[in-house]
Every structure is written in structure tokens, then in C-alpha cells.
Amino acid sequence: MTRPRLRQGPRGGGNWLLLIPAIALLAIVLGVPLVENVVRSFQTPFGTTGVTFDNYVRIFTVPSTLTILLRTLIAAIIVTVVALVFGYPYAYLMTRVGPRARGLMLTIVLIPFWTSALARNFAWIILLGNHAPVQQFFAFFGNPNVVLYGTAGGVILAMSQVLLPFMVLPLYASLGGIDRRLLLAARGLGSSPLVAFWRIYWPLSRTGVASGLILVFTLACGFYVTPALVGSPQQSLVAQLLGQETNQLLDFAGAGALGTFILIVTLALVAWANRVGGSINAIGAVSVEGRK
């Protein structure tokens, strides 16, 4: 006897209806405040009637705002580079060890997600303060006056530790899918380990690298808790400036313009990174296929 075949409907028909609750939630929780923020950015500082572009002009004409924007950009770039330098070898080692060691390493990566943000930052305050372990470490090498608490260096160090998992996890997902037989084939054809890594392994891992760079950089640009607790008002970043304009100065229009500008710049960088990362990955895949 033959098994009766079930009649199948059109592929994917009606599945898009499952997205309606998520889209509605995002539209209410994220879309409405975002639109309201953009509209407010074109108002006068004290909410009187009229449309003005003065709030956006002040972003490029006030020296203190430009300094904070440049400081935020530099800090985000440094944090991203530090996360890549430490995250790539760690993710690579996760793909080489056994299941037990891999589980332990993954647990270490996930510990920051299980710890309160305030607890992590207060721990950094203790580590970076006066007569703290970090100062004693530098004192061992003959420089006892190094105190990183309240400095840009301390903020970058703490942010790098907090954002490191956002680099490791995409890299591990990308590196875990690379076929290591390609490296063995390159070694069999006389290639050195360094050349095999650079011409085969690195191009195949660029998708994970691009994803990690985007995540860490965008999060670092809008980080607030760590710079506010570990840093100082003299070394404030853009998130602290937004908090000051809304909580102390009550300049909601200026804060809306600055937030909209940061959002546009971040989206442009993400779109550029996605395009460049996809193009580089495609070129790398084609080059690898050509070498097989």
C-alpha cells in the first residue's frame, strides 16, 4: 500500500503573519519615540512654535560638542581594535579545543551577561582606583603614580572588557564553520602556516570579523554606564553629553538633534561595513575557490 501524500500549501504562505506582533511592538516601543525625537530636534530649545535647524548647526559650531564627538569616535575605535586583537585568538582557540574546554571557555565569555552592569563597573572602580591592583601592577615596573580611574584609559579598558563577548561570539560562529581541510591542503602544496592563514583562513573569517566590528563599535559609541561611573566629566563621551542635556539643561531639542545625528552616522557606518564586509567575503571566497 502506498502512503497518501499530504497536500502542501504554498511555500511560506501566511508565515509573515507571525511577524506582526514583533513589528507592532517595535513600532510602539522604538518607532514612536524615535519619530518624536526627530520631530523635537527641529524645534526651538524651549519648545516654542516654529521649525529651526539651529540644533543641528550647534553640533558643528560648538567646540565642546565637537571635542566630545571626536573623543567618542577615538574611544570606540580603540575599544573595537582591542576587542578584535583579544577576541580573534580566543575564538580561534575555542574551535581547536575539545568539547569540555570549549564549554568552559564559552562559559567564561558568557559570565559578563550574567553579571549586573553596575557590579561590573563598581568592580572596575575598585581595580582602577588609588592603591588598587592596577596601580600596584604599574608600581612593580617602576611607575607607582598611574591611576586609571577617572581617565579615558580606564574607560577604554573597562569598555573593552564589557564588550569583548560581542566580538568573540560572532567570531566563534564564523570560525567554527571553516573547513580546516583547506589549510591541510595548502600545507600539502607547500604553503607555510602563515601564508595559509592569510590567504585562506582569514578571508573566510571576515564575515564574523565584520559582524563583531559592527556590534562592538556601535555599542561603544552609545555606551553610558561605564563612562559615567569609571570616567570623569572632563573626559565625558557623547552619551554623557546627551544625559546632561536632558537631565540638567532640559534641552530636549538639542539632545534630539545630537541623538538623531549619532543615529544617522551609526546607521551609515553599519551599512558601509555590511557592504564592504560582504564584498570582501565574496572576493575571499572566490579566491579560495580559485586556489582549490
Side-chain angles (χ1 to χ4, degrees):
M1 297 180 62
T2 60
R3 179 178 298 179
R5 299 180 61 183
L6 297 177
R7 184 178 179 180
Q8 297 180 354
R11 181 178 298 179
N15 292 336
W16 61 272
L17 295 175
L18 300 175
L19 298 176
I20 293 179
I23 294 175
L25 180 63
L26 289 176
I28 295 174
V29 176
L30 181 62
V32 173
L34 183 60
V35 172
E36 183 181 358
N37 184 70
V38 174
V39 173
R40 186 184 291 115
S41 66
F42 293 100
Q43 297 177 355
T44 56
F46 298 100
T48 57
T49 58
V51 178
T52 180
F53 292 91
D54 292 341
N55 299 316
Y56 290 93
V57 174
R58 284 189 298 155
I59 297 176
F60 304 99
T61 56
V62 178
S64 59
T65 303
L66 292 176
T67 301
I68 292 175
L69 288 175
L70 180 61
R71 185 185 300 127
T72 303
L73 177 62
I74 294 175
I77 292 175
I78 295 177
V79 169
T80 304
V81 173
V82 171
L84 178 62
V85 170
F86 286 94
Y88 197 99
Y90 192 90
Y92 176 79
L93 184 60
M94 289 178 64
T95 63
R96 298 292 295 155
V97 299
R100 292 186 177 181
R102 186 182 301 117
L104 178 61
M105 296 179 69
L106 183 60
T107 302
I108 296 175
V109 172
L110 296 177
I111 284 178
F113 294 107
W114 304 335
T115 309
S116 172
L118 291 177
R120 292 198 305 265
N121 287 284
F122 279 116
W124 275 111
I125 292 175
I126 297 174
L127 291 174
L128 300 176
N130 195 17
H131 303 293
V134 174
Q135 185 183 19
Q136 295 176 3
F137 172 79
F138 285 102
F140 179 78
F141 293 96
N143 195 353
N145 298 322
V146 176
V147 179
L148 295 181
Y149 175 66
T151 64
V155 172
I156 291 174
L157 181 61
M159 289 175 58
S160 300
Q161 183 270 329
V162 174
L163 296 179
L164 185 60
F166 294 95
M167 178 66 72
V168 173
L169 294 179
L171 284 174
Y172 171 66
S174 176
L175 300 182
I178 298 178
D179 190 355
R180 298 192 58 83
R181 291 177 296 179
L182 297 174
L183 298 177
L184 295 178
R187 294 292 303 277
L189 294 175
S191 175
S192 64
L194 183 60
V195 174
F197 170 82
W198 182 249
R199 292 189 176 182
I200 297 177
Y201 198 84
W202 171 254
L204 294 177
S205 65
R206 284 176 179 172
T207 301
V209 171
S211 300
L213 292 177
I214 293 172
L215 280 174
V216 175
F217 182 81
T218 53
L219 291 173
C221 285
F223 232 58
Y224 177 76
V225 178
T226 299
L229 294 179
V230 181
S232 64
Q234 292 76 18
Q235 300 290 333
S236 61
L237 302 183
V238 67
Q240 295 168 269
L241 178 61
L242 287 172
Q244 181 182 9
E245 289 187 349
T246 54
N247 297 327
Q248 300 178 12
L249 303 178
L250 301 181
D251 185 9
F252 298 103
L258 182 59
T260 303
F261 172 74
I262 296 298
L263 177 63
I264 293 175
V265 172
T266 303
L267 291 178
L269 290 175
V270 170
W272 174 80
N274 279 326
R275 184 173 181 179
V276 173
S279 300
I280 292 176
N281 186 64
I283 294 173
V286 170
S287 63
V288 170
E289 290 293 333
R291 294 189 184 98
K292 289 182 180 180

